[in-house]
């Protein structure tokens, strides 16, 4: 080779990129309820999936300030400011902001004011946090307002086959809201902290999956037409729960056990107010959001009760037979100011 006649590159010749940096990409994706589609990139994705695996390492990909528009049967999901790193074809990091949107599935709907997603991976598993600000969400007579939810997933493993995804994980869901209503009950300042094991999700004709869950639920008050319970705390457990989405919205079918306590529960007996305190309730039954009665089972309740001294004296004086005898009337009057209530096997 000479200066005027340089040595040509040897053949065959090919470039093998080790690192790719993508700045401000814009992606339009679609999920039709069964498969994830990449729009104009579908032929490229299918070609990559069909290629036989080789020892040639995939390039590291760095995405900066990305934006994604994902259309789904439930509504449009938009993410912006996305930062991501992929190494050897695996997601290692993802950070993005979620825009406000409205989602709907059958009778279920949710209006979100925004959120964030943060994911980290090690090449085998993923872990991430999803935070959502919910303006309002509900289905039927269930209504959730002004909620902040934070879900953490660990040990996330996924497989992608023909555009359908299967996911397994364990996680934790924490949240608080201004109000929640269901079945005529009005819950003020509810909070929840649930731990999930054996969490599974599969995309197909519908989204479906299962889980085991245990955790705490609390509320400042729970009110109905008859009374208002104060300082409510419940421990909940679901084992072998199944969920799915469809034309009717979100369906949950699961065994449920609850142990609940309340600081106070005022009631009325005729015109006399009755104060219950130290209330404890145990529930064992089932939740099926598609059933005519969504929650069914047996309830056991115990509590301390008592009428005011004036009301106790009035009730004792009006009691048949006992109220006519001084000794019996006074004994009944004292008993009515403090007693124990037990109501087993309520359905």
């Amino acid at each position: 080779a000479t200066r005027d006649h340089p040595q040509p590159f040897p053949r065959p010749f090919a470039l093998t990129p080790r690192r790719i940096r993508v700045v401000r990409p814009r992606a339009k994706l679609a999920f039709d309820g069964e498969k994830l589609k990449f729009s104009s990139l579908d032929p490229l994705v299918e070609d990559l999936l069909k290629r036989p695996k080789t020892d040639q390492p995939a390039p590291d990909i760095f995405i900066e300030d990305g934006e994604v528009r994902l259309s789904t049967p439930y509504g449009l999901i938009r993410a912006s400011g996305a930062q991501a790193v992929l190494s050897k074809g695996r997601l290692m990091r993802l950070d993005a902001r979620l825009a406000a949107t409205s989602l709907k599935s059958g009778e279920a709907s949710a209006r979100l004011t925004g959120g964030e997603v943060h994911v980290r991976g090690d090449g085998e598993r993923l872990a991430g946090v999803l935070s959502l600000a919910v303006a309002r969400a509900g289905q039927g007579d269930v209504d959730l307002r002004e909620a902040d939810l934070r879900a953490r997933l660990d040990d996330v493993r996924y497989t992608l086959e023909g555009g359908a995804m299967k996911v397994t994980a364990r996680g934790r869901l924490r949240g608080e809201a201004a109000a929640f209503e269901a079945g005529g009950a009005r819950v003020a300042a509810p909070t929840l902290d649930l731990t999930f094991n054996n969490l599974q999700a599969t995309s197909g004709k519908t989204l479906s999956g299962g889980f085991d869950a245990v955790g705490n639920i609390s509320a400042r008050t729970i009110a109905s037409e008859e009374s208002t319970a104060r300082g409510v705390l419940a421990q909940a457990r679901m084992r072998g729960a199944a969920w799915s989405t469809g034309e009717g919205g979100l369906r949950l079918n699961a065994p449920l056990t609850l142990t609940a306590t309340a600081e106070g529960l005022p009631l009325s007996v005729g015109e006399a107010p009755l104060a219950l305190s130290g209330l404890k309730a145990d529930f064992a039954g089932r939740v099926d959001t598609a059933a005519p009665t969504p929650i069914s089972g047996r309830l056991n309740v115990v509590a301390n009760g008592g009428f005011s001294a004036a009301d106790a004296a009035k009730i004792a004086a009006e009691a048949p037979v006992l109220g006519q005898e001084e000794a019996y009337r006074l004994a009944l009057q004292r008993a009515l100011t403090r007693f124990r209530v037990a109501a087993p096997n309520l359905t």
Side-chain angles (χ1 to χ4, degrees):
T2 66
R3 183 176 179 179
D4 296 328
H5 300 86
Q7 179 70 35
F9 286 113
R11 296 186 182 278
F13 172 76
L15 292 174
T16 304
R18 300 293 188 184
R19 180 186 177 105
I20 298 175
R21 180 168 172 255
V22 185
V23 180
R24 291 189 294 276
R26 302 294 183 260
K28 292 183 179 180
L29 310 181
F31 177 69
D32 61 5
E34 295 187 41
K35 294 183 178 181
L36 182 63
K37 298 182 179 181
F38 298 85
S39 187
S40 60
L41 296 178
D42 273 339
L44 176 61
V45 174
E46 291 178 3
D47 180 63
L48 291 174
L49 292 175
K50 290 178 182 177
R51 287 184 183 180
K53 292 184 177 181
T54 67
D55 294 332
Q56 191 70 31
D60 292 341
I61 301 176
F62 296 80
I63 298 174
E64 300 177 10
D65 194 21
E67 182 176 307
V68 176
R69 294 171 61 89
L70 173 62
S71 62
T72 75
Y74 320 109
L76 178 65
I77 299 174
R78 293 181 295 134
S80 62
Q83 311 288 330
V85 176
L86 292 91
S87 179
K88 298 179 181 179
R90 288 285 184 171
L91 180 64
M92 306 300 286
R93 179 173 71 87
L94 171 64
D95 299 286
R97 297 186 303 271
L98 301 177
T101 189
S102 293
L103 304 175
K104 185 175 178 61
S105 175
E107 295 182 358
S109 63
R111 183 161 56 87
L112 312 180
T113 57
E116 293 184 2
V117 58
H118 303 279
V119 179
R120 298 293 182 268
D122 61 8
E124 295 294 332
R125 300 176 296 265
L126 295 174
V129 175
L130 171 66
S131 59
L132 293 174
V134 182
R136 195 160 192 172
Q139 177 175 333
D141 63 355
V142 177
D143 186 22
L144 176 69
R145 295 192 295 276
E146 298 179 29
D148 289 314
L149 303 177
R150 181 181 174 89
R152 177 176 181 85
L153 294 177
D154 291 298
D155 198 21
V156 180
R157 299 173 186 267
Y158 64 93
T159 57
L160 187 63
E161 299 178 3
M165 182 176 289
K166 295 182 179 180
V167 179
T168 61
R170 53 187 175 84
R172 184 179 183 184
L173 175 63
R174 290 180 290 172
E176 55 187 24
F180 175 77
E181 294 186 16
R186 301 180 302 279
V187 184
T191 69
L192 62 82
D193 187 348
L194 299 176
T195 298
F196 293 85
N197 291 308
N198 301 320
L199 185 59
Q200 304 170 31
T202 303
S203 66
K205 292 184 178 180
T206 62
L207 292 175
S208 61
F211 61 85
D212 299 330
V214 61
N216 297 322
I217 303 170
S218 68
R220 186 170 63 235
T221 61
I222 299 179
S224 65
E225 293 183 359
E226 294 80 16
S227 62
T228 299
R230 305 185 313 275
V232 179
L233 175 63
Q235 293 180 324
R237 181 182 296 274
M238 292 183 181
R239 186 176 296 276
W243 63 270
S244 63
T245 62
E247 295 182 358
L250 176 65
R251 179 177 182 181
L252 174 64
N253 192 325
L256 171 65
T257 59
L258 281 172
T259 299
T261 60
E263 296 174 0
L265 178 64
L267 300 173
S268 295
V269 178
E271 297 181 356
L274 168 63
L276 296 182
S277 62
L279 183 144
K280 181 179 180 180
D282 294 305
F283 174 83
R286 193 166 198 88
V287 175
D288 185 351
T289 57
T293 303
I295 301 179
S296 59
R298 292 189 175 277
L299 177 68
N300 298 313
V301 179
V302 294
N304 298 317
F307 293 94
S308 67
D311 287 328
K314 181 179 179 181
I315 294 172
E318 295 176 351
V321 182
L322 295 178
Q324 310 306 314
E325 296 289 339
E326 180 74 8
Y328 294 139
R329 181 178 60 79
L330 292 175
L332 179 58
Q333 180 179 332
R334 287 192 298 270
L336 289 173
T337 59
R338 187 175 182 179
F339 53 86
R340 187 75 168 165
V341 176
N345 292 322
L346 300 176
T347 57

